[in-house]
Amino acid sequence: MSINLPSPATHRRLPKRRRGLLAGGVAVVAALAGVGLFGGQPWASAATTITYDTGSGLTFAVNATNGNITSLKHNGTELAQSGQAAGQFESGWSSAAVTSKTFGNGALLVTAANIDIGVTMYYFARKNDNTIYIATNIAKALNPGEARFITRLSSSLLKTSPVAARTAASTGTVEGSDVFSFANGQTASKFYSSQRLIAQQPFGASGNGHGVFIIPGTNEMTSGGPFFRDIEVNDTGGAVNITNYLFSGHYNTEGLRLGLHGPYAMAVTDGALPAGRSLDFLSAYIPGLLSNAVRGAVSGTAGGSWAGQRGTVALAGPNGQYWGQSKSGQFLIGHVRPGTYTATLYAGELAVGATRSVTVTAGATSALAMTGDVPAGGTLLQLGAFDGTPAGFKNADKIETMHPSDSRMSAWTGAVSSAATLPMAEFKSVNSPLAVNLPLSSVPAAGVKVRIATTGAFAGGRPAIAIGGYTSPASASPAPVNLNSRGVTRGTWRGVNTTYTFTVPASALKTGNNTLSVSVLSGSSGDAFLSPNFIFDALAVDPA
């Protein structure tokens, strides 16, 4: 049972070790054996549960044997789904070295280390703040290659969550075991709750006077760059799962970064979204977390012709990833860990110009000038913008929250005469080839050059063309980068941008309407929307 806090007089008589256990509103449940709270050393009354009350509505408990958060109460109501963990790394651990430290202000830091997999979780809480602040140190490669904090909460209480990710009451699956269908032909998946990191806001679920939200923090040690996105919220009916991904192989263009991920936070509210806040204060409590005072910055200019797109400068290196948007040709990226980074300029989501190397030192601001232009538009035909996205194409406005088979999608087939009639993706077993109308007032003497820009691919899918008597050689369609993951069916287009260029001889063309056939080339096969595919960024035609 819980041990009641002693009176102040009794507290003064306790040995120092027991004072640390009971200070600041921390209670323990005693057992005969277990992992001690200090340095992982067992002692006669080893704690099996560490409980903390913020004094303002939030009480939570951590299992001192395995480091899982076992209880999350708001105003006395248990929010954790029965039989599930209120917080854990991946699927949870069976054992961990768990230690606890209290501070003079009543704050608590719980450390749970799993030496076998090389991961340490930190949970920090303080008085009058209904938030658990979290950081995750990853010391070595993971198997399986994912890293996430997940909380599994009551779906009967927290009924408000992203609709596109509510898979309760589904009638079947349309892909694997993670994309679901309903009787009306609509689809839902945990993948359809994601936000781009550059625009990510607190996310979670609420209902009945309660709300639980992840405050994602800086994402400085996650992978994939500013436009990457991953699973956030999923109401399965059995639980509302809220996930903060630190790394995954879900169409990711980068590998795992080793080191301290976070801080991030789990805020409990009366249902309202939590306010934004600085997490810099945690550097005084979480080991290895650098304060802003010992970080650096990068500032400079970003220029070029971006065709109306917004410019973003992004840094990437072993020590982290950071970004800042250009305003009136200027950018500033602050709170950067010291180290050397590769800087990339994006127009929209398309990398433009040459990358640059920049070194960041503590307490200093490094200068950097970035420049780059988007490709010129086609003079004979232009479908879509060169911006690294399929914006403006058929179904592009739906793909982030629906599977391609969803009944709300427009038909993936049909003749193409405009951007709005070009499907945002082409699938080998669904809509390949596509017939694109190419009107020519006259035939250029040297023929035409066709550029097809893509944002990502699956199973080796890439474009090939045919027009008149001409068929592009396989050498014009080199195999794309293999990300070894589903992409567009998971609601994302953010892969590796690639442009394919084809030169069509004049003999294959005619004055008037020509039909440009665009097909999917791949040595692989697959069923329907899991067949080889690629995602369109733009299609342009110019005189050769």
Side-chain angles (χ1 to χ4, degrees):
M1 62 180 179
S2 294
I3 298 175
N4 295 324
L5 295 180
S7 67
T10 304
H11 186 198
R12 285 193 295 269
R13 293 194 299 270
L14 290 173
K16 289 183 179 180
R17 178 154 64 176
R18 290 204 60 199
R19 291 182 203 173
L21 286 174
L22 300 173
V26 181
V28 298
V29 175
L32 292 177
V35 178
L37 292 183
F38 292 88
Q41 300 300 316
W43 56 293
S45 296
T48 57
T49 302
I50 305 166
T51 303
Y52 186 80
D53 185 352
T54 65
S56 57
L58 169 64
T59 302
F60 68 93
V62 178
N63 185 312
T65 299
N66 58 31
N68 297 334
I69 301 176
T70 56
S71 174
L72 188 73
K73 291 183 178 180
H74 179 232
N75 295 333
T77 299
E78 180 61 68
L79 302 182
Q81 181 67 37
S82 177
Q84 303 282 346
Q88 59 192 22
F89 181 85
E90 282 294 318
S91 298
W93 299 329
S94 59
S95 64
V98 180
T99 63
S100 175
K101 180 179 181 180
T102 55
F103 300 87
N105 59 1
L108 168 74
L109 176 67
V110 178
T111 302
N114 187 313
I115 298 174
D116 290 338
I117 67 171
V119 173
T120 301
M121 295 293 300
Y122 298 100
Y123 299 113
F124 175 86
R126 58 185 177 176
K127 287 299 182 179
N128 303 312
D129 184 355
N130 288 344
T131 306
I132 304 174
Y133 297 92
I134 311 168
T136 305
N137 190 69
I138 303 174
K140 59 185 180 181
L142 301 173
N143 184 22
E146 286 198 348
R148 60 178 174 166
F149 170 81
I150 185 168
T151 179
R152 304 182 190 276
L153 306 175
S154 171
S155 56
S156 61
L157 287 174
L158 306 179
K159 293 181 175 294
T160 302
S161 62
V163 174
R166 295 182 201 164
T167 56
S170 59
T171 56
T173 58
V174 294
E175 185 174 302
S177 58
D178 49 26
V179 183
F180 297 83
S181 61
F182 298 85
N184 60 3
Q186 296 183 8
T187 57
S189 174
K190 59 187 178 182
F191 294 107
Y192 303 151
S193 64
S194 58
Q195 306 172 77
R196 299 186 310 163
L197 295 185
I198 193 172
Q200 193 176 36
Q201 298 296 314
F203 55 88
S206 61
N208 295 287
H210 312 286
V212 179
F213 300 92
I214 293 293
I215 301 173
T218 65
N219 285 305
E220 66 181 5
M221 290 296 282
T222 55
S223 301
F227 313 115
F228 184 74
R229 48 190 296 181
D230 216 324
I231 300 164
E232 292 180 350
V233 186
N234 176 211
D235 185 345
T236 66
V240 178
N241 302 321
I242 306 174
T243 303
N244 187 41
Y245 257 99
L246 311 173
F247 175 75
S248 81
H250 299 158
Y251 220 49
N252 204 331
T253 57
E254 291 186 300
L256 170 69
R257 287 186 169 91
L258 298 180
L260 187 68
H261 290 243
Y264 49 102
M266 182 166 62
V268 178
T269 74
D270 59 3
L273 277 172
R277 66 196 72 177
S278 170
L279 303 182
D280 187 50
F281 76 94
L282 292 165
S283 62
Y285 301 99
I286 295 177
L289 179 60
L290 295 183
S291 71
N292 290 341
V294 293
R295 294 169 178 255
V298 177
S299 70
T301 58
S305 175
W306 303 339
Q309 301 297 321
R310 187 160 192 180
T312 301
V313 177
L315 309 178
N319 289 355
Q321 59 173 12
Y322 307 87
W323 43 79
Q325 294 189 311
S326 174
K327 298 179 181 178
S328 302
Q330 305 286 323
F331 72 91
L332 172 65
I333 306 172
H335 304 160
V336 180
R337 288 178 175 178
T340 298
Y341 297 87
T342 297
T344 302
L345 173 62
Y346 293 92
E349 294 188 13
L350 181 66
V352 295
T355 60
R356 299 283 302 277
S357 178
V358 61
T359 298
V360 178
T361 57
T365 299
S366 301
L368 184 65
M370 301 294 294
T371 185
D373 303 323
V374 298
T379 57
L380 299 177
L381 181 67
Q382 179 70 35
L383 301 180
F386 288 104
D387 63 359
T389 82
F393 294 142
K394 188 195 299 186
N395 292 326
D397 60 334
K398 304 180 184 73
I399 200 64
E400 293 178 281
T401 56
M402 305 176 197
H403 189 267
S405 66
D406 194 291
S407 59
R408 293 166 290 182
M409 290 280 184
S410 299
W412 289 92
T413 56
V416 177
S417 58
S418 64
T421 57
L422 176 66
M424 55 85 62
E426 186 171 358
F427 304 86
K428 187 175 182 181
S429 297
V430 175
N431 58 346
S432 177
L434 290 168
V436 179
N437 184 43
L438 173 60
L440 295 174
S441 57
S442 62
V443 175
V448 299
K449 179 175 64 177
V450 178
R451 288 173 289 156
I452 299 177
T454 64
T455 73
F458 172 70
R462 66 269 198 193
I465 69 168
I467 185 170
Y470 170 82
T471 298
S472 63
S475 59
S477 300
V481 175
N482 180 15
L483 298 182
N484 195 30
S485 171
R486 291 170 288 161
V488 67
T489 60
R490 280 177 163 168
T492 184
W493 57 73
R494 181 71 277 124
V496 178
N497 290 92
T498 307
T499 298
Y500 300 84
T501 302
F502 310 91
T503 301
V504 180
S507 59
L509 305 169
K510 64 182 180 180
T511 299
N513 289 329
N514 295 262
T515 298
L516 174 66
S517 177
V518 180
S519 58
V520 177
L521 178 65
S522 174
S524 301
S525 61
D527 294 331
F529 295 104
L530 284 180
S531 62
N533 60 69
F534 62 85
I535 304 160
F536 285 101
D537 175 16
L539 188 155
V541 181
D542 297 282

